[in-house]
Amino acid sequence: MSDDESNQLRSRKVGGDDLIEDMFGLNLRGLKTLWVMFVSPRVGYEAARSPDWIDRSYTPSIRLLFSLLAVMTATRFLWAGADSSIHALVDGQVAALEEFGTQEERSAYTEHIIDYFLLLFPFSFMLTQAIAGSLLRVWGKGTNTIVRVRLYMLAMLPNATFTLFALPLMTVMTVQQQTEFSLALIALTFLIDFVTVMRGGVVSEKRSGKIIKSALYATASNLTAIISNSLCVMLASIIAGIVIAMPQ
């Protein structure tokens, strides 16, 4: 490839075709991308600004984040099984409604809520975070919408990886311990997001500006996650209610 062709490739703006490529087609570079975001995030951010992720050297962040969410769903038996505190928490909330005459009906409703929540969660999470990512402007002037979403999702990878390994711990916790753990998890994920974008992600001439923008990113990503979870629970409850009401 000539120098002119190389310069044209690097200068080409990231567009809709590149976003489609981000979302489809898997590769084996995910672990490398995750590792970079832990040890040298700046390299990952530079790759996200390249149309082809530096000649396909890294897995697109949208695809990789969705894959992590899919793994969380696939391993539900580790943290949301029938004997888990999460299951007990949902069952207790269902019991408080006092709308079911038998234990069998209540258990069925509980199972439906958890099943539909896990089914909807990856899509709900990605959609709400993509909207937040497209609106959040902390990456410097000239960063277009698609690159903003790329960078936003990329910065979430350490958070998502940590959560993936933290969730199974809830299996051995009581409902009270789970509540306390959830609060601690929110604080930890906020810190992880903050540190990740501070390390070469957000752009500002002053350090104070980077701190403010990093805090803004961490707040946006965690608040959006809470909104996404709440929305997903509401939708799962509605669908579960419809399914239970249908004639058998």
Side-chain angles (χ1 to χ4, degrees):
M1 180 182 293
S2 67
D3 290 341
D4 288 340
E5 290 174 332
S6 178
N7 290 334
Q8 288 177 358
L9 178 61
R10 292 177 181 175
S11 62
R12 182 172 72 84
K13 289 186 177 181
V14 179
D17 291 341
D18 300 304
L19 178 63
I20 293 174
E21 172 59 25
D22 283 3
M23 298 174 66
F24 300 99
L26 298 176
N27 57 47
L28 301 177
R29 302 183 182 91
L31 291 179
K32 175 184 176 181
T33 307
L34 290 176
W35 177 252
V36 162
M37 291 310 298
F38 278 101
V39 301
S40 184
R42 187 182 298 275
V43 175
Y45 297 129
E46 291 175 355
R49 294 180 181 276
S50 167
D52 60 357
W53 292 84
I54 308 182
D55 196 25
R56 310 298 176 192
S57 297
Y58 299 91
T59 300
S61 54
I62 297 173
R63 185 190 313 162
L64 188 51
L65 182 58
F66 188 83
S67 297
L68 288 174
L69 296 177
V71 171
M72 290 182 195
T73 301
T75 57
R76 61 163 290 180
F77 63 91
L78 293 176
W79 54 276
D83 297 327
S84 68
S85 56
I86 289 180
H87 190 283
L89 177 62
V90 175
D91 189 59
Q93 293 174 340
V94 171
L97 297 176
E98 298 182 350
E99 294 181 358
F100 300 96
T102 66
Q103 175 65 36
E104 183 179 3
E105 291 177 341
R106 193 182 83 190
S107 297
Y109 186 59
T110 298
E111 287 293 337
H112 281 310
I113 289 177
I114 295 176
D115 288 343
Y116 287 116
F117 173 83
L118 293 173
L119 177 65
L120 295 170
F121 172 70
F123 303 98
S124 172
F125 186 89
M126 293 297 292
L127 176 60
T128 53
Q129 294 290 6
I131 293 172
S134 68
L135 298 175
L136 189 64
R137 299 172 180 269
V138 296
W139 315 105
K141 294 181 179 179
T143 304
N144 68 30
T145 301
I146 293 172
V147 176
R148 287 200 298 270
V149 173
R150 280 185 169 191
L151 292 167
Y152 184 97
M153 299 290 190
L154 189 67
M156 294 189 72
L157 292 178
N159 176 342
T161 304
F162 171 76
T163 303
L164 175 63
F165 288 99
L167 280 176
L169 296 176
M170 290 188 174
T171 302
V172 297
M173 296 180 183
T174 64
V175 173
Q176 178 61 35
Q177 290 173 331
Q178 178 188 317
T179 301
E180 296 171 354
F181 181 78
S182 297
L183 294 175
L185 195 60
I186 291 174
L188 285 172
T189 54
F190 180 93
L191 180 61
I192 292 171
D193 284 347
F194 177 87
V195 171
T196 301
V197 292
M198 270 291 291
R199 298 170 65 196
V202 297
V203 176
S204 179
E205 294 181 358
K206 297 181 179 180
R207 182 173 177 80
S208 59
K210 290 183 178 181
I211 292 175
I212 292 173
K213 287 185 175 182
S214 296
L216 181 60
Y217 171 84
T219 300
S221 62
N222 281 271
L223 182 59
T224 302
I226 293 173
I227 293 173
S228 175
N229 285 343
S230 300
L231 176 63
C232 205
V233 169
M234 181 182 69
L235 291 175
S237 299
I238 292 173
I239 296 173
I242 294 174
V243 172
I244 289 293
M246 293 175 62
Q248 299 299 316

